[in-house]
Amino acid sequence: MNNTHHNDTFNISDLTAEQQKMLIDIRRRKSELLLEIQQLKDELGEVVGEMENMDSADESKNNTRAKQMSIGRKKFNMDPKKGIEFLIEHGLLSNTCEDVAAFLYKGEGLNKTAIGDYLGERNDFNERVLRAFVDLHDFTDLILVQALRQFLWSFRLPGEAQKIDRMMECFAQRYCQLNPNIFTNTDTCYVLSFAIIMLNTSLHNPSVKEKPTVEQFISMNRGINNGGDLPRELLVSLYDSIKTEPFKIPEDDGNDLMHTFFNPDKEGWLWKQGGRYKSWKRRWFILNDNCLYYFEYTTDKEPRGIIPLENIKVREVADRNKPHCFELYASGSDFIKACKTDSEGKVVEGKHTVYRMSAATPEEKEEWIKCVRQSISHNPFYDMLSARKKKAQKNNVHHHHHART
């Protein structure tokens, strides 16, 4: 190799193993610091925005451009599309997807949820903006977790499956483009990204009792690299990164990424009839991800009980003591697979064949039945993910000839 011309290019393979490891650590640390700086900048940006609002009352007219910018940001946070239109109209943004993307990526004084809404819209312009926005991220030499940390901090993922799918697809393509020798295809990257996100939930959400081990994480991702397995040390490093530090998610108490993704399908107070003693107790119910959780108080971190909606049906019932009743019952097996904590806080298996609930109004009852049924029948996001997983597990003949050596 002739180094005289290429003194600016540099090849990691020229280094000793020890130096390579050091370099990778330095790069990892650098990306962590850059992300921390970005997070601090964003928090500062919010404060500056609030101060602008306070000052703007007694401002003189000379500062119109800054004032219009400030108005544009406020409009954007209330209605992203209108905000962008306002900024373009007043010549503060040019009408190109690159310019709009750069504005969102800088994100000064912009609400992360509004950015996510705008990037998720299904139309040509917004989809081009999304591409350009993702292209502004540099994931070179980052392990997948670090890239995800950066990406998921830059906006807040919306809740709809279709939008999540488009945005994560874009992320996976960009990551693979910048790190060409890690995954054989983008589906693998996409599927693994969600495995990491779910791992984050199971490791750091207090209501998940069984924490997955690194071995479980590895076996969960068997075969997703075109039917082959990913290198063990890659998966271990991803696992360790998440275990050491959970994802930081914008505008969230940070406790559970899945609730950031899928806002609860429904939540509210219901009366629930006890199993052994048929007494009624008022409980706060949350329906999410094919599970029904109930809590004693809305502020409790830990649910009193969890009812997975597997092999369960729901029906209306009449009860002598309570109005607007419905119940969950096992279809097939005798007991419903559920668990609750007893008075000492121990987790015990439920011995219910049915769970009977009472709602406050007939409308509430109908709404609960409808939502539980929808949750039982399917969750569009998981359908998409499993389709993607099948694609990632297929042996792609083209890839195999020049799989990485």
Side-chain angles (χ1 to χ4, degrees), residues 254-272:
N255 108 18
D256 179 359
L257 185 52
M258 273 317 179
H259 291 110
T260 316
F261 267 81
F262 313 108
N263 307 325
D265 305 322
K266 180 152 180 56
E267 51 185 347
W269 291 105
L270 289 169
W271 290 89
K272 178 180 88 64

Side-chain angles (χ1 to χ4, degrees), residues 24-70:
I24 288 166
D25 281 345
I26 289 168
R27 282 179 175 160
R28 196 201 72 234
R29 191 69 199 114
K30 177 184 163 188
S31 77
E32 285 169 1
L33 287 169
L34 286 172
L35 182 56
E36 277 172 36
I37 290 168
Q38 189 54 51
Q39 292 173 346
L40 287 169
K41 269 192 187 154
D42 291 346
E43 284 159 22
L44 272 169
E46 283 172 27
V47 175
V48 170
E50 283 166 21
M51 284 163 71
E52 270 180 15
N53 295 352
M54 289 164 153
D55 292 347
S56 55
D58 48 36
E59 277 273 303
S60 54
K61 282 282 173 284
N62 58 12
N63 202 355
T64 43
R65 198 181 151 83
K67 192 172 264 148
Q68 282 180 332
M69 198 68 198
S70 168

